[in-house]
């Protein structure tokens, strides 16, 4: 299904199940299908709503000025369009960054969040990573960037070994979900993203922070440290997993969430 935002961008979403609303927000180069293993589990008790972020997947390949305030606004407009008063949010990486922004901008709409592989605070280190991605993307194709730079950083050794003959295909699939102009603008938004400690200390929304102990991009130490600032939060780490424990350890992930 598709709905049109107030700035006339078509966004794809999918609804499965009934019950309390659980909004699922995918990573930067992923789409709604990245939550398939979670939907199979959660539709027993929840109405699962998946959204392809603008610029990615089946949503419009918009190449305007991206920001996380804008991504959060897209989520807000969707749940308003659907007549939803309150929701739980499940997010990974880019989707988690959108979730945190949504909590801070629209706290009255959120019951809880669970996020994995997600940066929250401003980070010069990650700004340098994003700047590197942008420079590489300008000089090579997206598939090469993803296969040579991003996959080895975010995926576990177990995943890379098990999928050694599929890595080029995985990178090609990621490339098919984006266009270069949109990808560059999305990276710009990542570069500008990040909150100060004071920004998150005031929220009372319950949060579950999740990490994979082999995630070399947003490390478990970084994610665990966020519990010092987010008062109503808990932390869980998945062994032998990278950036996406929802895929590598789906049963455990679903139980924990």
């Amino acid at each position: 299904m598709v709905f049109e935002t107030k700035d006339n961008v078509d966004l794809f979403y999918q609804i499965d199940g009934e019950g309390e609303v659980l909004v699922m927000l995918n990573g930067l180069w992923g789409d709604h299908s990245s939550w398939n293993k979670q939907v199979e589990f959660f539709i027993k008790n929840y109405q699962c709503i998946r959204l392809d972020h603008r610029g990615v997947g089946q949503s419009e390949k918009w190449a305007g000025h991206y920001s996380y305030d804008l991504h959060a606004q897209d989520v807000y407009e969707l749940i308003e369009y659907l007549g939803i008063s309150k929701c739980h949010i499940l997010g990974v990486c880019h989707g988690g960054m959108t979730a945190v922004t949504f909590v801070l901008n629209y706290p009255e709409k959120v019951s809880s969040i669970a996020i994995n592989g997600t940066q929250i605070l401003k980070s010069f280190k990650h700004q340098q990573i994003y700047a590197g991605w942008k420079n590489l993307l300008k000089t090579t194709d997206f598939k090469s960037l993803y296969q040579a730079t991003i996959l080895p950083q975010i995926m576990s050794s177990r995943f890379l070994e098990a999928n050694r003959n599929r890595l080029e295909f995985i990178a090609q699939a990621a490339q098919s979900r984006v266009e270069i102009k949109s990808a560059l603008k999305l990276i710009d938004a990542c570069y500008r993203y990040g909150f100060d400690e004071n920004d998150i200390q005031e929220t009372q929304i319950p949060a579950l922070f999740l990490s994979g102990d082999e995630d070399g991009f947003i490390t478990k130490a970084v994610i665990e440290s966020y519990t010092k600032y987010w008062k109503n939060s808990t932390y869980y780490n998945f062994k032998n997993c990278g950036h996406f424990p929802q895929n590598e350890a789906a049963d455990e992930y679903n139980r924990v969430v």
Side-chain angles (χ1 to χ4, degrees):
M1 292 174 279
V2 173
F3 89 103
E4 185 178 333
T5 65
K6 290 181 180 178
D7 62 343
N8 308 119
V9 177
D10 289 335
L11 300 184
F12 175 85
Y13 69 98
Q14 184 166 329
I15 300 178
D16 299 278
E18 297 181 352
E20 292 186 59
V21 175
L22 175 60
V23 176
M24 298 174 164
L25 302 176
N26 45 263
L28 190 60
W29 315 122
D31 65 6
H32 65 282
S33 65
S34 63
W35 296 112
N36 285 347
K37 293 178 181 178
Q38 282 62 60
V39 170
E40 292 173 5
F41 180 85
F42 284 107
I43 56 172
K44 302 169 189 174
N45 298 298
Y46 292 89
Q47 182 182 71
C48 300
I49 300 177
R50 292 178 281 175
L51 171 69
D52 282 0
H53 299 282
R54 60 171 69 205
V56 179
Q58 295 183 49
S59 289
E60 186 174 329
K61 302 302 187 294
W62 186 73
H65 182 78
Y66 284 81
S67 72
Y68 280 91
D69 285 329
L70 181 60
H71 286 302
Q73 181 179 310
D74 286 342
V75 177
Y76 176 81
E77 290 185 20
L78 174 60
I79 65 173
E80 286 289 287
Y81 171 79
L82 296 173
I84 295 165
S85 59
K86 211 158 192 177
C87 64
H88 304 277
I89 303 181
L90 182 59
V92 56
C93 193
H94 169 72
M97 293 151 78
T98 299
V100 171
T101 308
F102 188 85
V103 164
L104 298 181
N105 290 358
Y106 311 100
E108 73 282 359
K109 292 292 186 180
V110 189
S111 298
S112 69
I113 66 169
I115 54 178
N116 56 279
T118 298
Q119 173 195 350
I120 296 179
L121 301 180
K122 291 179 180 177
S123 167
F124 179 73
K125 176 181 178 180
H126 287 98
Q127 283 184 326
Q128 298 314 296
I129 293 173
Y130 298 135
W133 288 1
K134 186 173 181 179
N135 288 335
L136 287 170
L137 196 54
K138 287 178 177 179
T139 57
T140 186
D141 61 282
F142 181 90
K143 186 179 76 170
S144 297
L145 166 67
Y146 197 81
Q147 185 175 352
T149 302
I150 297 177
L151 278 177
Q153 189 172 45
I154 66 175
M155 297 303 190
S156 69
S157 299
R158 178 179 61 181
F159 178 92
L160 293 170
E161 181 66 28
N163 293 277
R164 59 165 57 195
N165 296 323
R166 298 184 64 249
L167 296 180
E168 185 173 356
F169 170 79
I170 292 170
Q172 182 66 51
Q175 178 173 268
S176 71
R177 292 191 287 267
V178 298
E179 293 178 353
I180 294 298
K181 289 183 179 179
S182 299
L184 289 169
K185 295 295 182 70
L186 281 162
I187 293 172
D188 285 340
C190 293
Y191 185 91
R192 294 189 300 270
Y193 170 85
F195 296 96
D196 295 319
E197 296 167 9
N198 292 336
D199 293 327
I200 66 174
Q201 285 179 334
E202 297 302 318
T203 182
Q204 297 300 313
I205 303 298
L208 172 62
F209 299 145
L210 305 163
S211 66
D213 65 353
E214 288 193 38
D215 188 347
F217 180 44
I218 313 291
T219 67
K220 63 179 182 179
V222 167
I223 293 176
E224 185 175 16
S225 72
Y226 294 148
T227 60
K228 295 186 295 185
Y229 310 110
W230 195 298
K231 295 176 182 177
N232 193 4
S233 66
T234 54
Y235 167 74
Y236 187 90
N237 178 65
F238 295 88
K239 301 291 186 182
N240 304 313
C241 288
H243 204 58
F244 302 107
Q246 70 265 37
N247 293 325
E248 291 195 74
D251 290 343
E252 180 184 4
Y253 184 93
N254 295 341
R255 288 195 305 271
V256 170
V257 171

